[in-house]
Amino acid sequence: MDTAGKGRSRRSTLAVPGSSVKMLDKAKGLGADSLFMDLEDAVAPVAKEQARENIIAALNEGGYGSKILSVRVNDWSTPWTTQDVTSVIQGAGSILDCIMLPKVQTADQIIQLDSLITNLEKSLGLPVGRIGIEAQIETALGLTHVNAIAAASPRLETIIFGPADFMASINMRTLVVGEQPQGYDVGDAYHFILMSILIAARAYDKLAIDGPYLAIKDLEGFNRVAGRSAALGFDGKWVLHPDQIDAANAMFAPRQADYDHAELILDAYDYYTSSDGGARGAVMLGSEMIDEASRKMALVVSAKGRAAGLKRTSVFEKPTD
Ligand code: GLV
Ligand code: MG
């Protein structure tokens, strides 16, 4: 199944409330890779129906360039979910790339959402399987099922950490989203959660996305928190304000030095494993020993760099002796 947003960069995902026509319009010109129009927590219960209409109108207006377009519906336990999904697919199913499901608790919720989307695609004559799913992990129960959730559907493209709801779900003793709870001074309180999401994502070939940082004026804080998930290997982060977009795009972009290094490893490994290079499996590149595992790591970094359009600034030189 080939879903629409798969394989496309998602360094930054901009959250836009579906109740605000002005913000839906403004989002078009911003430089986020991806954009989700919200029907869930940023929209008051009495404004949900109007928000559906605003979102359908905004999607049909177009003008979003290459951004991946998602709609976040209400979670599976609510009376709104089925109508949210039905309305947006009926109104803009050929335009939107993904449905985002928040507070996913079990794999079954993804399976049911998948089958609802399939039925709608079939009845509307849309290509079956094009619309992807994004799953937010924001509860203790959701995290215990994250592997099964990641494996639940080929439509699933991303697994997203929802820190605010998650902190509430586990009774974490702080109200500052994404920051370490005071008194916990032995490491990163989010490490287990981030790693669990990342491993589920990598095991099933999905993207791992970090959630929002609410203190929108604190770019230093944004960079600090984004830096942790980026270092682990996450693919991107939500942004709530235009100022956070450039920071996220830079943080999750492949770095030139890493890209050059990766290309060098690939060339060197190619050469040394060939008969010309001595058909060796483990060799020295400068002061570093490289082998097949190094090649695998280098392939990941080089693929990201190539996809981002980076150009090499160094070349591998065969030894002369
Ligand atoms: C996002 O939805 C969050 O709860 O952090
Ligand atoms: Mg949430």
Side-chain angles (χ1 to χ4, degrees):
M1 193 181 290
D2 193 16
T3 49
K6 261 208 159 156
R8 289 156 69 189
S9 172
R10 269 185 170 98
R11 297 165 303 172
S12 51
T13 294
L14 179 65
V16 189
S19 47
S20 169
V21 174
K22 204 168 132 202
M23 283 173 78
L24 287 167
D25 195 51
K26 190 172 171 202
K28 289 180 186 172
L30 300 174
D33 288 345
S34 167
L35 162 64
F36 80 85
M37 304 178 179
D38 196 15
L39 286 171
E40 202 221 12
D41 283 357
V43 178
V46 291
K48 302 263 186 209
E49 274 186 37
Q50 182 60 51
R52 282 183 198 140
E53 286 174 29
N54 296 344
I55 286 175
I56 293 166
L59 284 167
N60 280 292
E61 254 170 48
Y64 297 94
S66 59
K67 289 181 186 54
I68 297 169
L69 301 174
S70 294
V71 175
R72 179 166 77 166
V73 298
N74 288 281
D75 83 76
W76 203 252
S77 69
T78 69
W80 299 296
T81 327
T82 308
Q83 198 51 51
D84 287 344
V85 176
T86 306
S87 299
V88 294
I89 295 186
Q90 277 174 345
S94 60
I95 302 160
L96 88 116
D97 293 310
C98 291
I99 295 285
M100 184 185 293
L101 189 65
K103 303 181 182 70
V104 179
Q105 307 264 36
T106 61
D108 195 50
Q109 295 185 343
I110 297 293
I111 293 166
Q112 290 186 56
L113 174 61
D114 183 323
S115 107
L116 174 59
I117 299 175
T118 300
N119 289 341
L120 286 162
E121 284 173 335
K122 283 184 180 161
S123 68
L124 294 165
L126 296 168
V128 174
R130 196 196 63 87
I131 297 172
I133 296 177
E134 305 201 70
Q136 274 191 282
I137 299 296
E138 352 188 43
T139 63
L141 187 61
L143 192 69
T144 65
H145 293 142
V146 68
N147 294 335
I149 289 168
S153 162
R155 289 186 193 269
L156 197 86
E157 298 185 14
T158 66
I159 309 177
I160 304 164
F161 175 41
D165 277 302
F166 202 97
M167 288 158 70
S169 161
I170 62 170
N171 297 359
M172 194 183 268
R173 210 174 57 183
T174 170
L175 285 170
V176 191
V177 173
E179 293 291 1
Q180 304 301 319
Q182 227 185 5
Y184 187 77
D185 53 9
V186 291
D188 179 359
Y190 300 93
H191 183 75
F192 172 73
I193 311 166
L194 291 172
M195 262 310 198
S196 303
I197 290 174
L198 181 63
I199 287 168
R202 292 295 171 257
Y204 295 100
D205 195 22
K206 315 294 177 186
L207 296 183
I209 305 293
D210 193 7
Y213 185 75
L214 270 52
I216 54 176
K217 298 272 173 233
D218 181 2
L219 261 189
E220 203 184 300
F222 178 89
N223 278 321
R224 186 175 56 247
V225 173
R228 290 186 199 130
S229 55
L232 286 180
F234 269 58
D235 300 288
K237 185 167 175 65
W238 279 16
V239 292
L240 303 178
H241 187 271
D243 289 351
Q244 294 180 336
I245 297 176
D246 286 348
N249 288 348
M251 186 62 80
F252 291 91
R255 289 177 293 197
Q256 183 69 46
D258 294 342
Y259 173 65
D260 281 336
H261 189 184
E263 292 288 10
L264 225 47
I265 290 176
L266 291 178
D267 283 355
Y269 191 73
D270 249 17
Y271 172 72
Y272 286 116
T273 50
S274 72
S275 348
D276 269 5
R280 285 175 283 164
V283 288
M284 296 303 288
L285 174 65
S287 57
E288 167 191 31
M289 199 203 79
I290 60 168
D291 67 4
E292 176 59 25
S294 325
R295 190 185 70 90
K296 288 202 180 86
M297 290 193 291
L299 274 176
V300 173
V301 177
S302 115
K304 284 195 175 181
R306 288 181 201 180
L310 293 189
K311 299 277 169 274
R312 294 182 67 163
T313 60
S314 59
V315 287
F316 169 67
E317 282 171 24
K318 291 180 195 168
T320 44
D321 51 313

